[in-house]
Amino acid sequence: KQWYQRRVAITAGVLVGGTKQDIAEIKDAYTKKYKKSLEEDIADDTSGALKHVLVSLLQGNRCEEGVSHEQATKDAKELFNAGKGMWGTKESTFNKILVSRSPAHLKRVFNEYRTIASGDDIENAIKGEMSGDTKNAFLGIVRVIKDAEMYFAEELYKSMKGIGTNDDKLIRL
């Protein structure tokens, strides 16, 4: 179970770190190798909010534009209102913002969120408001946006710590 949860976060992290062209190339390579669509396979193997997150990432619709302070503040308020600011969680709002905005813009959103949430971090909000694979996917997105090199360094370390090496995870990274 823990291996699967980490795989979900890593998959989201890889897709977040890629440009529209990178994602298109990954999808093309997958189709050539497996003779089927990566998007269809992910849709078949996942469900619910996780399915929406991964399929959205695969569509490669992330904005690659700059940062708008006004939009970052608006997005931070939307995230707060969709999570800590309401009873329950509106995961579709997290998906819309975390999957479609540029990394530079999201870094600004995360800073604005901290201000709106009285010092609380977006990661803590996700941990407190979500669970399972959806939580892991959103955390993977946030951690890659915040510091991709550190995210992958931590994942590499986790794959090699303790007795024995998790070869599958290490190769995947």
Side-chain angles (χ1 to χ4, degrees):
K1 176 84 174 152
Q2 186 178 18
W3 171 84
Y4 178 76
Q5 290 171 342
R6 302 203 66 75
R7 193 170 97 186
V8 166
I10 291 166
T11 301
V14 167
L15 293 173
V16 168
T19 64
K20 290 177 183 185
Q21 182 178 342
D22 293 337
I23 292 170
E25 289 172 2
I26 289 169
K27 288 166 47 175
D28 287 344
Y30 188 93
T31 301
K32 285 178 185 169
K33 180 166 178 131
Y34 298 107
K35 308 292 186 239
K36 51 188 168 181
S37 159
L38 176 58
E39 200 168 315
E40 288 174 12
D41 268 1
I42 285 180
D44 289 346
D45 290 346
T46 58
S47 62
L50 174 63
K51 177 179 181 175
H52 293 292
V53 172
L54 295 177
V55 170
S56 296
L57 284 169
L58 276 171
Q59 290 172 354
N61 292 328
R62 181 176 298 283
C63 177
E64 295 178 350
E65 304 292 316
V67 179
S68 161
H69 179 71
E70 289 175 23
Q71 186 62 47
T73 301
K74 182 180 174 200
D75 287 346
K77 286 178 183 175
E78 270 192 75
L79 287 171
F80 181 81
N81 291 334
K84 288 197 169 260
M86 68 180 288
W87 189 80
T89 305
K90 193 171 179 184
E91 293 166 341
S92 62
T93 300
F94 280 80
N95 188 51
K96 176 185 79 170
I97 293 170
L98 295 178
V99 168
S100 66
R101 306 297 195 260
S102 74
H105 179 83
L106 286 173
K107 286 179 183 181
R108 184 76 168 257
V109 169
F110 300 159
N111 287 334
E112 293 294 324
Y113 184 93
R114 187 180 291 275
T115 301
I116 292 166
S118 303
D120 201 10
D121 184 77
I122 189 73
E123 285 187 59
N124 291 334
I126 291 168
K127 288 176 188 174
E129 295 292 321
M130 297 180 197
S131 62
D133 297 334
T134 304
K135 174 184 82 173
N136 291 324
F138 282 133
L139 285 173
I141 292 169
V142 169
R143 289 173 179 158
V144 168
I145 295 295
K146 283 182 169 182
D147 189 343
E149 291 81 9
M150 183 59 71
Y151 171 77
F152 287 108
E154 288 172 0
E155 292 301 320
L156 283 167
Y157 174 77
K158 289 173 189 175
S159 75
M160 295 181 285
K161 78 175 191 175
I163 298 173
T165 298
N166 183 335
D167 293 337
D168 289 338
K169 182 175 179 181
L170 185 58
I171 291 166
R172 200 171 42 258
L173 287 170

